[in-house]
Amino acid sequence: MVASGARKAAIIGGGMIGGGWAARFALMGWNVRIHDTDRDAERKINAILESARAAMPGLWDVALPEEGKISFHDDLAEAVEGAEWIQESVPERLDLKHEVYAAIQSACTETAIIGSSTSGFRPSELAEGAARPGQIVVAHPFNPVYLIPLVEIVTGPGTGEARIERIRSTLRDIGAHPLFLRREIDAHIADRLLAAVWREALWLVSDGVADTAEIDDAIRYGFGLRWAQMGLFETYRIAGGEAGMRQLLTRLGASPNLPWSKLTDMPELTDELVETIASQSDAQSGRHSTAELERIRDANLVSILRGLKTRDWGAGRLLNATDRRIDSAPKGLDALSLTGPLPTGARAVPLDWSDHNGHMTEHRYLQAFGDATDRFLGLVGCDAEYIACGHSYFTAETHIRHLAEIRAGARIEIDTQLLLAEGRRMQVFHRMWESSRLVATAEHMLVHVDLGSRRAVAPPADLMARLDKVAAAHAHLPRPEGAGAAVGRPLDRKSETEAGPEAD
Ligand SMILES: NC(=O)c1ccc[n+]([C@@H]2O[C@H](COP(=O)([O-])OP(=O)(O)OC[C@H]3O[C@@H](n4cnc5c(N)ncnc54)[C@H](O)[C@@H]3O)[C@@H](O)[C@H]2O)c1
């Protein structure tokens, strides 16, 4: 189903980068219109979308909006009509980009933002001869656009504060991190840094110091890990010891080894050097197809990003902020009807939750159901504030039934029925759905605990009253199929008692 009234984006040039933008906008609920002169673009974009659907929604711990509608248009004017954001991602040729902006500006609204994915051009170059120069800004993303949050924004004198604010809020809305450059410069910030490392890497191969695999190892076993979470300066600050950056700079300034770098000149890419690098790369990575490498890359990136999320640090902090912004789930009982099970979870299955069988791995069911229990407890008032005051529920027993396979990227919803709330004990029954398909259930017995004595105690009257209210409403619901079932033997409690444990 497509969300009605969705915001509209147009993608002009749907290659690797345009396809990534299309996926990010659409998975964040925008309707996306794509114009590309290549007839094969639709097939390529569908492949990018498939990868993005598996990887991107699971970055967050709440459900994203309904996916927007994606359409392909031979006519550029039709694609940009009514679009709020138009992202140009045609090949890196200035004359071609100028041609495209002229066509866009003769058909789009004056309020639309035109972002260019250009890796190298400045906004002043892009806007040469444009009808409305201030409308065109650099919005430089990183591949894969649907996972890497950074977008470098370079504006010009005509951009204006109001447009800058809209750029900031729009990119935030699609889960990206806009980095505004203070002034324009060829290749912006990140590609200049990458160019320096790339140049040194080419020299190291050219001089026979290292091959491509050794250089990659120097990055991925070493400083690449540091860079992903702290960047350059914060990492070096630690290297400076207690005195921090000043100490580091003083020490480095006195180093007799500098300069280590070849600094500015590039090795000539002779046929021989090209062949050396290409054959080393074949030896290093040729056992994987490009599509396989893309899948490996996406899974690794999701794991890293979600790892940073648990640390609420760097790019993970951005993901947490987006969770809070898009979480529309009710926070208390007042906003809910108690006549049915309560909604206690809606999310996509993260890519790093799937196992070698290609479906959600066992312990992630417990994670999803554990989160649902937390959400249920929050709804009845046993939230972080309550726990900070010295009481909580501990889980004493769990029984999970795995009823159907579920894959990465799939949207799951969990609802919860309260089976029992008596004194210290509470019993809940969760159902996990993918659309109308029941994929798993979980039954938990919880005990209310005094966190000081670590002993089971009855909950206070106000919490008990809220639980009684839910329990009274849920008493009218049929007992869920599977409640009270023993492992491998779905018996009701009576026959279980009568039969006793099976002899074998
Ligand atoms: N590849 C990267 O890693 C990367 C990263 C960041 C930014 N960029 C920038 O993004 C832009 C696109 O790069 P890419 O790697 O996606 O290239 P690409 O070759 O994969 O895609 C370009 C697409 O534009 C289409 N196209 C060509 N002329 C067109 C026209 N007149 N109208 C509509 N579509 C047209 C092509 O058919 C193709 O599908 C470039 O400016 C590049 O510098 C690339």
Side-chain angles (χ1 to χ4, degrees):
M1 211 182 81
V2 169
S4 58
R7 298 168 75 180
K8 290 183 195 141
I11 303 296
I12 308 302
M16 187 190 288
I17 294 301
W21 275 108
R24 185 175 273 280
F25 274 110
L27 290 170
M28 280 294 188
W30 289 53
N31 287 344
V32 178
R33 294 177 170 203
I34 302 168
H35 167 75
D36 194 297
T37 45
D38 180 2
R39 295 235 155 252
D40 204 24
E42 186 166 345
R43 182 191 60 79
K44 291 189 204 157
I45 288 194
N46 283 334
I48 295 173
L49 279 166
E50 197 183 320
S51 304
R53 285 186 186 114
M56 181 178 144
L59 287 179
W60 292 279
D61 292 300
V62 299
L64 296 185
E66 210 77 58
E67 183 178 321
K69 178 170 182 264
I70 297 166
S71 54
F72 295 85
H73 301 262
D74 289 339
D75 183 15
L76 180 147
E78 189 180 280
V80 301
E81 190 195 330
E84 207 180 303
W85 186 288
I86 300 160
Q87 186 69 25
E88 168 276 303
S89 304
V90 301
E92 190 77 346
R93 271 180 31 221
L94 197 53
D95 61 328
L96 177 61
K97 291 194 188 270
H98 285 160
E99 219 177 89
V100 165
Y101 300 142
I104 292 174
Q105 290 198 314
S106 65
C108 73
T109 64
E110 291 194 16
T111 53
I113 287 159
I114 304 175
S116 171
S117 298
T118 179
S119 302
F121 296 120
R122 303 168 180 223
S124 60
E125 293 170 306
L126 298 174
E128 271 164 16
R132 296 181 295 276
Q135 198 174 15
I136 302 167
V137 298
V138 169
H140 177 236
F142 295 81
N143 201 28
V145 182
Y146 52 83
L147 288 182
I148 304 280
L150 182 66
V151 179
E152 291 178 310
I153 298 293
V154 200
T155 58
T159 312
E161 278 309 313
R163 205 178 266 127
I164 286 175
E165 203 33 58
R166 274 203 300 131
I167 293 168
R168 194 189 307 282
S169 63
T170 302
L171 290 172
R172 187 206 60 179
D173 290 347
I174 59 168
H177 177 74
L179 178 64
F180 284 80
L181 265 71
R182 289 159 186 255
R183 62 186 177 84
E184 64 171 32
I185 182 173
D186 293 339
H188 332 309
I189 297 175
D191 278 358
R192 291 183 76 96
L193 294 170
L194 286 176
V197 176
W198 179 238
R199 189 177 58 228
E200 290 304 322
L202 293 181
W203 274 119
L204 289 167
V205 177
S206 172
D207 291 348
V209 176
D211 65 16
T212 57
E214 288 160 345
I215 291 168
D216 282 351
D217 283 352
I219 297 170
R220 60 187 168 182
Y221 286 91
F223 65 81
L225 293 167
R226 302 194 311 209
W227 283 7
Q229 45 83 48
M230 276 192 178
L232 187 60
F233 286 100
E234 205 159 54
T235 298
Y236 277 166
R237 186 182 172 85
I238 298 172
E242 285 296 314
M245 190 51 92
R246 264 180 207 85
Q247 162 79 9
L248 178 92
L249 291 172
T250 321
R251 214 185 326 139
L252 272 188
S255 169
N257 298 325
L258 291 179
W260 284 332
S261 161
K262 290 266 189 177
L263 297 177
T264 52
D265 55 332
M266 278 282 281
E268 192 188 342
L269 280 175
T270 58
D271 291 349
E272 195 190 346
L273 182 56
V274 169
E275 187 44 39
T276 303
I277 294 174
S279 51
Q280 287 179 0
S281 174
D282 287 346
Q284 177 190 356
S285 316
R287 66 189 184 285
H288 298 296
S289 68
T290 304
E292 275 166 1
L293 284 175
E294 280 173 349
R295 278 196 294 277
I296 294 166
R297 174 203 64 191
D298 282 8
N300 292 342
L301 284 172
V302 168
S303 296
I304 292 168
L305 285 162
R306 288 187 53 79
L308 289 172
K309 200 163 189 258
T310 62
R311 302 277 315 127
D312 197 29
W313 188 268
R317 186 163 217 169
L318 172 75
L319 295 175
N320 283 331
T322 308
D323 269 352
R324 288 192 292 275
R325 195 174 47 71
I326 60 181
D327 184 10
S328 57
K331 303 287 180 285
L333 292 179
D334 293 348
L336 289 168
S337 155
L338 302 185
T339 54
L342 304 184
T344 48
R347 61 160 313 132
V349 176
L351 200 50
D352 62 338
W353 282 18
S354 50
D355 61 15
H356 49 275
N357 293 319
H359 56 208
M360 187 156 99
T361 201
E362 212 176 322
H363 67 280
R364 299 301 187 176
Y365 286 85
L366 181 56
Q367 183 169 347
F369 284 128
D371 290 346
T373 301
D374 285 348
R375 181 80 82 158
F376 177 83
L377 290 172
L379 286 172
V380 294
C382 181
D383 53 14
E385 204 180 313
Y386 178 83
I387 293 166
C389 291
H391 288 96
S392 186
Y393 273 96
F394 287 0
T395 306
E397 198 176 330
T398 293
H399 179 201
I400 294 177
R401 295 184 313 147
H402 305 264
L403 304 176
E405 284 192 279
I406 185 143
R407 290 177 182 274
R411 183 187 164 108
I412 50 174
E413 293 189 7
I414 298 177
D415 59 37
T416 303
Q417 184 170 338
L418 183 59
L419 298 181
L420 174 96
E422 267 176 22
R424 299 173 289 198
R425 292 192 312 153
M426 176 166 81
Q427 194 175 347
V428 290
F429 191 87
H430 301 302
R431 273 177 284 225
M432 182 188 290
W433 304 87
E434 185 193 15
S435 192
S436 59
R437 197 169 67 111
L438 185 63
V439 291
T441 67
E443 191 173 357
H444 305 284
M445 180 65 80
L446 294 104
V447 180
H448 188 264
V449 173
D450 178 326
L451 292 175
S453 65
R454 315 303 276 185
R455 300 182 78 90
V457 292
D462 54 345
L463 175 55
M464 203 60 233
R466 284 188 294 273
L467 283 169
D468 283 345
K469 198 170 145 190
V470 180
H474 283 191
H476 298 292
L477 296 172
R479 190 169 172 83
E481 190 270 313
V487 171
R489 205 158 50 104
L491 300 173
D492 62 30
R493 289 202 167 277
K494 188 161 164 279
S495 56
E496 192 179 35
T497 320
E498 281 167 0
E502 272 182 15
D504 55 348

